[in-house]
Amino acid sequence: MTATTTTTIRPGAPVPTLTPQQAGERAHAVLAEVERAVVGKRGALELVMLGVLAGGHVLIEDLPGLGKTLLARSFATVLGLDFSRIQFTPDLLPSDVSGAPFYDQRTGEMVFRPGPVFTHLLLADEINRTPPKTQAALLEAMAEAQVSVDGVTRRLPSPFVVIATDNPIEYEGTYTLPEAQLDRFLLRVRMGYLPVADEAAMLRARLDRSAPEAVLAAVSDPAEVLAMRDSLERVEIDDDLVDYIVALIDASRKHAQIQVGASPRGGLALVQLARARAVMAGRDYVVPEDVKAVAVPALAHRISLRPELWVRRISADDVIAGLVDTVPTPRTTPRANPAPAVPAPSPASA
């Protein structure tokens, strides 16, 4: 378990105000810097950025060696966030995550020692290798950004983001994440193998820099991350798009191949991720394509398929993609009135 430290937000410190367009520009600057370390994965990086903007947590589920840990560490560095990493193992205890009181012999008092969860960005590495009791130690933190130990509730730093990794091919010594915990993740991301040309470019870049990893610079800070999140509240979403999101959620509950459909939290995830995608596109309004683009990452891990589909090798991603194709798409007219101008952030907050 390792940790790095950067700046933190002072209580009561002013948070800069950004328009959705300004927030989108800052988000693209973050992605451009992260891409110096994580090459050929623009789609996965954009999804993680959407999760950060929407104020949620991200589950990265993929094969070993594809850069999942590098991705999380790179985002923490570039966003200027405090970073902690927990390597989940079968013998990890809940107190190893949340912290625990200990007896201070100098003062004769019980003193709380915070765990690694008290950070801005927490990498929960191989989260499915620890028992459910320890997995559950993250539930309160992920849902309410707080930790309760011995009857005392302590707030976590803001922003607080969990990026968890999960190896889907190993079953020996692993524990499947329960549905309640999967539902806490705003979206699930898969990275996949690099195209041949990108993999060759990655190897050449490694040889050229004569170092294991690229050295990244912080282009943001916690206050600006909060400002980028706040800009989503100025992104409009029409009633017909809200009805479209509800129709997708309802369809997941009535589909013949789905045993348990998406929860209301899934609808909230679609709304916020669609708003975040609009911000990334420089818009202050949501269009149907925003909802469609995030439907599979936001909903596929929230449903349970019927057992017989496993034999037929039908995945939740395929089922949700089918729902998106079948549920009627509303026709929306983009709004012509731009958001009111807001002064650009000062260089100190940029």
Side-chain angles (χ1 to χ4, degrees):
M1 183 170 60
T2 60
T4 60
T5 303
T6 59
T7 56
T8 56
I9 301 177
R10 299 188 309 273
V15 175
T17 301
L18 299 177
T19 65
Q21 292 80 6
Q22 290 171 336
E25 293 173 359
R26 300 304 300 146
H28 282 288
V30 169
L31 288 176
E33 183 68 14
V34 172
E35 275 193 305
R36 294 181 56 238
V38 185
V39 299
K41 297 295 179 184
R42 181 72 182 194
L45 295 180
E46 288 182 350
L47 286 174
V48 174
M49 191 71 234
L50 292 181
V52 173
L53 288 175
H57 311 289
V58 181
L59 176 63
I60 305 178
E61 185 179 272
D62 220 320
L63 303 173
L66 297 182
K68 301 185 293 293
T69 302
L70 175 63
L71 181 149
R73 190 168 61 247
S74 299
F75 266 101
T77 300
V78 177
L79 290 170
L81 303 180
D82 291 352
F83 175 74
S84 292
R85 175 180 179 269
I86 305 175
Q87 181 63 55
F88 281 85
T89 56
D91 60 346
L92 199 71
L93 300 176
S95 58
D96 296 328
V97 176
S98 59
F102 74 100
Y103 180 72
D104 190 341
Q105 294 183 345
R106 293 174 299 179
T107 63
E109 298 178 350
M110 297 296 293
V111 179
F112 179 74
R113 177 177 293 168
V117 74
F118 285 85
T119 188
H120 286 137
L121 195 152
L122 174 68
L123 171 59
D125 210 359
E126 296 186 300
I127 192 173
N128 59 328
R129 288 194 179 277
T130 200
K133 183 178 181 180
T134 305
Q135 292 176 5
L138 280 175
L139 289 177
E140 182 184 13
M142 294 173 66
E144 303 173 44
Q146 64 183 29
V147 169
S148 299
V149 178
D150 287 347
V152 179
T153 299
R154 296 173 174 84
R155 298 293 301 176
L156 297 176
S158 183
F160 174 68
V161 181
V162 174
I163 296 182
T165 67
D166 185 352
N167 185 342
I169 64 170
E170 294 184 16
Y171 299 101
E172 185 72 23
T174 62
Y175 304 84
T176 303
L177 289 178
E179 285 77 6
Q181 183 137 11
L182 284 173
D183 204 36
R184 296 298 201 283
F185 289 101
L186 191 70
L187 75 165
R188 181 177 63 185
V189 179
R190 291 193 172 99
M191 300 181 68
Y193 289 115
L194 283 170
V196 173
D198 289 333
E199 191 160 2
M202 181 266 293
L203 296 178
R204 293 190 190 98
R206 166 64 181 89
L207 295 172
D208 292 341
R209 67 173 176 262
S210 300
E213 295 180 8
V215 178
L216 302 180
V219 302
S220 186
D221 56 40
E224 188 174 75
V225 172
L226 293 177
M228 287 192 287
R229 287 182 173 181
D230 184 64
S231 71
L232 267 63
E233 301 305 320
R234 291 180 283 280
V235 176
E236 297 188 33
I237 180 166
D238 289 339
D239 290 342
D240 56 351
L241 282 176
V242 174
D243 293 339
Y244 176 53
I245 290 173
V246 173
L248 285 173
I249 298 297
D250 186 60
S252 75
R253 299 166 183 168
K254 297 177 179 178
H255 198 281
Q257 295 178 320
I258 299 177
Q259 192 170 29
V260 180
S263 69
R265 192 183 279 122
L268 293 172
L270 275 181
V271 168
Q272 288 303 95
L273 286 172
R275 284 171 135 187
R277 190 174 185 272
V279 165
M280 292 283 291
R283 287 184 271 104
D284 60 357
Y285 56 88
V286 175
V287 296
E289 286 70 23
D290 295 326
V291 179
K292 290 183 174 183
V294 299
V296 172
L299 298 182
H301 65 290
R302 302 177 189 273
I303 65 172
S304 298
L305 300 181
R306 297 194 178 277
E308 60 269 19
L309 297 182
W310 181 83
V311 179
R312 297 165 56 187
R313 296 187 178 182
I314 296 177
S315 69
D317 292 30
D318 296 333
V319 175
I320 294 298
L323 286 180
V324 173
D325 291 338
T326 57
V327 174
T329 304
R331 294 183 179 180
T332 60
T333 302
R335 297 181 178 274
N337 297 327
V342 175
S346 62
S349 64

